[in-house]
Amino acid sequence: MNKVRQLETFGQSVWLDFLSREFLASDEFRALITEDGLKGMTSNPSIFEKAIGHGKEYDDAIRRSANAGMGVGAIFRQLSVADIRTATDALRPVYDATHGADGFVSIEVSPYLAYDSDASIAEARSLWREIDRPNLMVKIPGTSEGIPAIRQLLSEGININITLLFAEKRYEEVAEAYLSALETLSRAGRLDRIASVASFFVSRIDSKVDAALDTAIAKASGDTRATLEALKGKVAIANAKLAYAHYKKTFSGQRWQQLLALGAHPQRLLWASTSTKNKAYPDVLYVDALIGRDTVNTIPLETLNAFRDHGHPAATLDNGVDEAKAQLDRLAQAGISLDAITDTLVTEGVDLFAAAADQLYATLADKRAKFLDGRSLRLAPALGDAQKAVDAEIAQWTRQGKLRRLWAHDNSVWTGADEQNWLGWLDIANREAADLSALDAFAKDVRDGGFEHIVLLGMGGSSLGAEVIGLTLAGAKGQPTLHVLDSTDPDQIHTVERSVSPGKTLFLVSSKSGTTLEPNILMDHFLRFAATGGGDAAKQFVAITDPGTPFEKVAREKGFRHIFHGDPAIGGRFSVLSKFGLVPAAATGVDVKRLLSEAMLAAESCEPMAPPASNPGVQLGVALGVLARDFKRDKITFVCSRSIASLGAWLEQLLAESTGKHGKGLIPLDGESLGEVDVYGDDRVFVHLHVTGDNDANTQLKALQDAGHPVIRLVIEDTYQIAQMFFVWEMAVAVAGSVIGINPFDQPDVEASKVRTRELTDQMEGDGKSPSAQPDLECDGFALYADDAGKSAIAGAQSLTEALRLHVNRAGKGDYFALLAYVERSEAHARLLEAVRLKLRDSKHVATCLGFGPRYLHSTGQAYKGGPNSGVFLTITGDHANDVALENRKLTFGAVEVAQAMGDFDVLKQRGRRALRVHLTKDIQSGLAALADALGQALT
């Protein structure tokens, strides 16, 4: 008779410790059932990884799922559920023939949940419902947190396989949980459809004990040495025999008999890990020695074939129980604690299963990326000497499950403050995509309304993302033209007014808090402007704000055309994929559904189950964080493809405002054209944001990489994939914040400038005059104001050029120089100042920034005041010949702009920054040109 089949005669069921799609369709599998009497199967992440990663039978399904927008977690769920259903259906005749006593297939809850009772319960319920087969068993590890989950799930009628059992004491808790659950069920009806096994792991015990014995043997001699030698390869079997003795006692008393009378099945002991790890032992050792009634042996295929060939079927579990006790006593007398070993094995077992899951998801992530070729963002970091440190940090993220904790809103990933309240951006694309009706209706309303221009009035996160979308994707023929006004500069206001028709323009007023100064005063101004078009001005206005803000109340009172709500759980700089970015996109004819589908694809690439080493958001964030933290490379230089050139401005805010605080941070540099290798210090990271087909600076970047500078490339195939850039960078910045050790979602230093500005504007309202201060130096028609340390430096300067030279020379190695210009953000001004910044970089070999005020206050201003004290600042202000009055107030926009500049400058001084403000007393154009000329001379 078949030796495997003979095990039936001793009351033992054979389950197979293997499963794959190809195997389930094979004649070999069917023969195991019909000829060997196979009665069950088990699966785990390691089994699935071998099946999925080492063959092609899953590839078509993975390709379909990937192209349907699914991430690795969803793909694995779909694949595993399908396989488990196939296996349970194949074994259903066994289940029916044994009246529900056998024929089970086990699937494991995520090993990442081993220490989380509630999450284990939730996932087990979900698997039970989705697979929907009565002969399913859900595996829950026998950790202390697993016990209440096991009891609860069994009491709900869900079959449970308790895994990772090593100690008899823990088994007692498991058996009690089963009996308690049966008693709960007995009050609700029949018990003949609930089943459970308690999986005792065997060979791993001997591996661990034998190592401890070898250490003891090396120190022993004589009879003691012989006694210890005799214990090798014996302890795991002895432990199992005592567990079986406990089982027989538990499932024989009056308590059990009452449950048995109601149709209950015993909770059988299942022997797991029964392949022989030590090649010196017989290959069927843990099958031969553990044969007994009401038990299961889950056997790997190789071991099963070996037992069929030369196994020894006989009732062995009841033999030598006294000797088993004596063996464990001798082990204890040798000073080796089996309890300590089994406790360690549980922890190691959880870690091993988690590592297997990591490998499984990594395999799936690699295949998913391959099948999405061209559809998903590609990240290619070249980090040189920093790669080893980055790899080590990524490994730590993997070990500590930080990405899963991030997605679970665990604020301990960061500083333990209120970070959990600001993670609405993680799933906003999915939520917005689920209900596009309002945006579709709005887009139709804009078309039907005949609007030719869209003017967006907002600051920072309320405008920068929308501007990127507009400049990158809008502009189709017949669609309105987008104008973004994020300034109080009078010249810039006049430029917008000249560019639009009052009666054909829709104004989007965008403010998360509803209290931001700039959009509120701009709204009042353009309400009057729109009224000159002859219609109902309020019907040309749309509000985008968080629910319940003061601005929402105003918009309702005035009768705005539409009011759209943002998500209070999303900070402004993370809001591009919410209504703050989508409403302007819809208004200008952008395909919002397509944009969101790209964002969701990126979110799936960064999902909690996507291993950090295969996760673009984690890879990028860890790289940036480690380079700044460990290598002092905190100047992030963006090199953008022409077709996504505006992305750098959005990234400036995202990085600076998120990371620049408590003396730490990443200093983003947008628009600084690449130079020769020798003009750069060793504080740089170069990030290439590339669209396939654009003619970019690849040769220069290759030279920088060859010179040892880190170069990180992010590549997309078309401009709609910019939504993937949005999400990947949001994830990266959240991760970098964790690596650096800050809260990436607050902005403590932005408020300081607002407070000081408010003080100055209140003063102006009171006396009707612009704020003024005594210059520290007046020369060549310019008024100069310096920080406390800088006053003495420029005191003796005889010219503007000399004063600027003295200030510029305050910048040293590792510093950056920021030009902060409170003038119109025009192409002419930008070209002039860009030329100046490049001269600064090339002569001083420092990183350079260019910001237009007050726009930069809501962007990079946080890092300038709260980040590392490595900035040297030149603030430029001036008088406006053609100022614009504020509605119903004494102030003008020009006065507000000067107040904002002075307020920010005052805070820079308070924070000990090296700062100089130059006020142009001539007209802006000639004054700016003269300043640029003087600065150029100062650098020669």
Side-chain angles (χ1 to χ4, degrees):
M1 185 178 180
N2 183 319
K3 291 180 179 180
V4 175
R5 191 94 197 200
Q6 274 186 270
L7 293 174
E8 291 180 352
T9 63
F10 300 102
Q12 185 170 75
S13 296
V14 171
W15 290 8
L16 185 65
D17 195 23
F18 178 69
L19 185 151
S20 79
R21 187 160 294 187
E22 183 179 36
F23 179 73
L24 291 172
S26 69
D27 292 337
E28 182 181 11
F29 174 53
R30 287 186 285 273
L32 285 173
I33 297 173
T34 58
E35 297 175 18
D36 290 328
L38 184 71
K39 289 184 172 58
M41 301 180 81
T42 59
S43 68
N44 58 46
S46 180
I47 288 171
F48 275 115
E49 194 281 324
K50 290 183 177 68
I52 294 169
H54 302 280
K56 296 183 177 181
E57 64 266 28
Y58 292 87
D59 286 3
D60 286 343
I62 295 171
R63 181 183 289 104
R64 288 192 300 272
S65 298
N67 282 285
M70 295 171 64
V72 294
I75 292 172
F76 173 63
R77 179 67 168 250
Q78 187 177 74
L79 296 176
S80 61
V81 165
D83 281 1
I84 296 298
R85 282 177 174 166
T86 299
T88 51
D89 289 346
L91 287 164
R92 181 61 183 268
V94 176
Y95 176 80
D96 291 338
T98 59
H99 305 290
D102 226 323
F104 294 97
V105 180
S106 295
I107 187 170
E108 189 167 356
V109 298
S110 171
Y112 304 138
L113 307 179
Y115 304 116
D116 189 330
S117 300
D118 291 341
S120 294
I121 290 169
E123 182 162 329
R125 287 170 176 163
S126 177
L127 287 167
W128 181 256
R129 288 192 301 267
E130 187 172 353
I131 295 172
D132 192 25
R133 300 294 190 272
N135 54 327
L136 172 72
M137 274 194 179
V138 181
K139 291 170 95 172
I140 303 285
T143 58
S144 58
E145 295 83 358
I147 299 301
I150 291 161
R151 182 183 298 108
Q152 178 62 38
L153 292 164
L154 285 167
S155 69
E156 295 176 12
I158 298 174
N159 303 323
I160 299 298
N161 177 342
I162 300 93
T163 187
L164 284 180
L165 293 176
F166 295 92
E168 184 180 350
K169 183 178 180 180
R170 180 52 52 82
Y171 169 58
E172 292 176 14
E173 297 178 58
V174 166
E176 173 57 34
Y178 181 63
L179 293 173
S180 175
L182 288 179
E183 287 165 344
T184 299
L185 281 170
S186 70
R187 293 188 285 272
R190 295 169 55 194
L191 302 179
D192 60 346
R193 292 298 175 181
I194 184 69
S196 178
V197 293
S199 297
F200 244 82
F201 282 57
V202 184
S203 64
R204 293 187 192 181
I205 292 178
D206 274 345
S207 296
K208 188 73 72 174
V209 169
D210 285 359
L213 285 168
D214 284 338
T215 300
I217 289 167
K219 301 176 183 178
S221 60
D223 291 344
T224 302
R225 185 184 185 95
T227 298
L228 296 176
E229 287 279 8
L231 288 175
K232 292 184 68 174
K234 301 293 195 304
V235 173
I237 294 171
N239 189 54
K241 287 187 174 185
L242 295 183
Y244 185 61
H246 184 88
Y247 159 80
K248 291 174 68 177
K249 180 179 179 181
T250 300
F251 290 91
S252 61
Q254 182 179 0
R255 184 184 184 189
W256 169 246
Q257 292 300 324
Q258 291 175 342
L259 293 167
L260 182 64
L262 295 173
H265 297 294
Q267 182 188 56
R268 294 175 294 172
L269 279 169
L270 179 149
W271 312 124
S273 185
T274 55
S275 62
T276 305
K277 304 296 189 292
N278 189 332
K279 299 304 179 185
Y281 301 156
D283 58 355
V284 293
L285 172 65
Y286 300 114
V287 183
D288 279 351
L290 299 174
I291 302 171
R293 185 162 299 283
D294 292 333
T295 61
V296 178
N297 199 318
T298 179
I299 310 175
L301 193 56
E302 182 180 4
T303 304
L304 188 146
N305 290 334
F307 187 82
R308 188 190 301 111
D309 178 70
H310 51 267
H312 304 89
T316 53
L317 262 176
D318 285 322
N319 299 335
V321 174
D322 289 341
E323 175 57 19
K325 292 179 182 176
Q327 288 169 336
L328 296 190
D329 288 342
R330 289 195 289 272
L331 184 72
Q333 291 164 7
I336 298 173
S337 170
L338 183 58
D339 286 342
I341 286 174
T342 55
D343 287 346
T344 299
L345 283 168
V346 172
T347 302
E348 289 181 351
V350 171
D351 290 345
L352 285 169
F353 279 170
D358 291 340
Q359 183 57 49
L360 164 66
Y361 290 122
T363 298
L364 275 173
D366 290 343
K367 290 201 171 193
R368 177 181 179 272
K370 172 186 173 184
F371 296 142
L372 282 174
D373 185 34
R375 283 201 58 203
S376 64
L377 176 148
R378 299 192 301 280
L379 177 69
L383 305 180
D385 295 341
Q387 187 64 60
K388 185 176 180 180
V390 169
D391 289 343
E393 183 72 26
I394 287 176
Q396 184 179 17
W397 271 71
T398 302
R399 286 193 304 272
Q400 296 180 2
K402 280 191 173 183
L403 180 63
R404 295 188 298 277
R405 288 160 50 201
L406 184 157
W407 277 91
H409 296 206
D410 179 352
N411 62 3
S412 69
V413 171
W414 297 282
T415 68
D418 68 341
E419 293 93 343
Q420 75 277 6
N421 298 329
W422 298 101
L423 296 172
W425 54 272
L426 284 170
D427 66 345
I428 188 61
N430 297 74
R431 288 186 279 131
E432 292 286 4
D435 184 15
L436 286 172
S437 57
L439 288 172
D440 290 340
F442 173 62
K444 182 178 185 302
D445 180 48
V446 173
R447 291 194 301 271
D448 294 346
F451 294 108
E452 297 174 356
H453 298 275
I454 306 293
V455 174
L456 173 61
L457 309 174
M459 299 297 294
S462 296
S463 61
L464 287 170
E467 183 178 56
V468 175
I469 296 172
L471 291 172
T472 305
L473 301 175
K477 186 176 180 180
Q479 297 293 343
T481 301
L482 177 67
H483 309 265
V484 175
L485 182 55
D486 54 356
S487 176
T488 54
D489 185 83
D491 295 333
Q492 198 140 2
I493 293 170
H494 286 310
T495 296
V496 171
E497 289 176 334
R498 289 191 297 268
S499 302
V500 304
S501 170
K504 293 290 186 180
T505 302
L506 185 69
F507 295 90
L508 310 180
V509 187
S510 186
S511 174
K512 273 195 69 66
S513 67
T515 59
T516 304
L517 171 68
E518 297 91 338
N520 283 333
I521 59 178
L522 287 169
M523 173 189 67
D524 291 339
H525 175 80
F526 280 99
L527 274 167
R528 181 183 60 79
F529 174 81
T532 65
D536 183 352
K539 293 306 178 186
Q540 292 176 231
F541 277 74
V542 173
I544 313 170
T545 189
D546 282 354
T549 65
F551 172 46
E552 179 182 9
K553 181 180 178 181
V554 170
R556 292 194 185 280
E557 290 174 349
K558 290 183 179 295
F560 276 19
R561 190 182 193 94
H562 295 282
I563 297 175
F564 290 98
H565 286 145
D567 182 345
I570 303 176
R573 57 190 176 274
F574 287 83
S575 67
V576 62
L577 295 169
S578 73
K579 292 295 192 301
F580 289 95
L582 300 182
V583 170
T588 51
V590 173
D591 185 342
V592 173
K593 182 178 181 181
R594 180 180 173 190
L595 188 72
L596 289 171
S597 71
E598 294 291 349
M600 289 187 289
L601 192 65
E604 293 294 353
S605 296
C606 298
E607 65 151 316
M609 296 304 178
S614 305
N615 185 311
V618 177
Q619 285 180 292
L620 177 58
V622 166
L624 294 174
V626 168
L627 285 164
R629 184 191 67 191
D630 300 344
F631 296 87
K632 309 306 178 187
R633 288 187 177 270
D634 58 357
K635 316 301 189 304
I636 314 303
T637 306
F638 295 114
V639 182
C640 300
S641 279
R642 172 186 50 78
S643 55
I644 56 171
S646 61
L647 183 61
W650 177 79
L651 285 167
E652 277 192 317
Q653 185 199 19
L654 184 67
L655 268 69
E657 200 165 271
S658 297
T659 69
K661 57 203 76 170
H662 308 303
K664 304 175 182 180
L666 307 176
I667 305 300
L669 312 175
D670 176 43
E672 188 194 62
S673 302
L674 289 178
E676 298 300 321
V677 170
D678 60 3
V679 303
Y680 297 107
D682 58 4
D683 57 345
R684 297 271 195 154
V685 179
F686 295 90
V687 178
H688 187 199
L689 307 170
H690 178 60
V691 180
T692 301
D694 281 4
N695 186 18
D696 287 346
N698 289 307
T699 301
Q700 292 166 288
L701 287 165
K702 179 65 165 57
L704 290 165
Q705 181 179 327
D706 291 344
H709 292 287
V711 176
I712 301 173
R713 296 173 174 84
L714 290 88
V715 183
I716 57 178
E717 294 296 319
D718 68 68
T719 52
Y720 264 91
Q721 290 178 349
I722 199 168
Q724 295 190 39
M725 289 278 196
F726 290 145
F727 188 88
V728 168
W729 274 102
E730 287 172 346
M731 177 62 75
V733 166
V735 170
S738 173
V739 174
I740 294 170
I742 50 89
N743 176 355
F745 307 113
D746 65 357
Q747 49 279 334
D749 300 285
V750 169
E751 188 62 28
S753 289
K754 292 182 180 180
V755 169
R756 182 59 183 141
T757 296
R758 195 177 304 121
E759 292 172 354
L760 291 169
T761 54
D762 287 347
Q763 175 188 331
M764 285 188 283
E765 285 277 26
D767 58 26
K769 298 179 181 179
S770 295
S772 61
Q774 182 64 37
D776 297 306
L777 180 69
E778 291 184 271
C779 56
D780 301 334
F782 296 87
L784 278 67
Y785 307 83
D787 65 281
D788 293 341
K791 288 179 182 180
S792 57
I794 67 168
Q798 300 299 308
S799 66
L800 176 63
T801 296
E802 186 179 354
L804 290 173
R805 181 181 295 115
L806 291 167
H807 183 60
V808 167
N809 287 339
R810 301 174 78 185
K813 182 179 180 181
D815 287 335
Y816 65 94
F817 199 101
L819 293 168
L820 309 176
Y822 285 81
V823 298
E824 181 183 6
R825 188 168 59 93
S826 66
E827 289 187 15
H829 291 163
R831 282 195 302 270
L832 182 65
L833 293 171
E834 285 291 351
V836 171
R837 75 184 287 198
L838 293 181
K839 288 181 182 178
L840 278 163
R841 180 200 65 193
D842 294 350
S843 63
K844 301 299 294 182
H845 294 189
V846 296
T848 64
C849 309
L850 172 59
F852 285 91
R855 169 185 167 106
Y856 81 83
L857 293 177
H858 300 264
S859 174
T860 51
Q862 167 64 44
Y864 296 160
K865 295 182 284 290
N869 192 1
S870 53
V872 179
F873 303 93
L874 180 62
T875 301
I876 304 167
T877 56
D879 296 325
H880 295 277
N882 191 15
D883 209 341
V884 179
L886 269 65
E887 294 298 307
N888 304 315
R889 298 180 71 173
K890 298 177 182 179
L891 303 179
T892 65
F893 276 98
V896 169
E897 184 181 40
V898 172
Q900 290 175 305
M902 292 178 64
D904 188 55
F905 188 75
D906 287 348
V907 177
L908 286 172
K909 292 194 299 180
Q910 291 169 8
R911 301 296 163 85
R913 288 351 191 202
R914 291 160 285 178
L916 179 68
R917 179 166 73 92
V918 178
H919 189 77
L920 313 177
T921 54
K922 304 175 183 179
D923 67 273
I924 297 293
Q925 299 300 328
S926 61
L928 199 59
L931 175 62
D933 182 64
L935 194 51
Q937 293 180 43
L939 295 170
T940 57

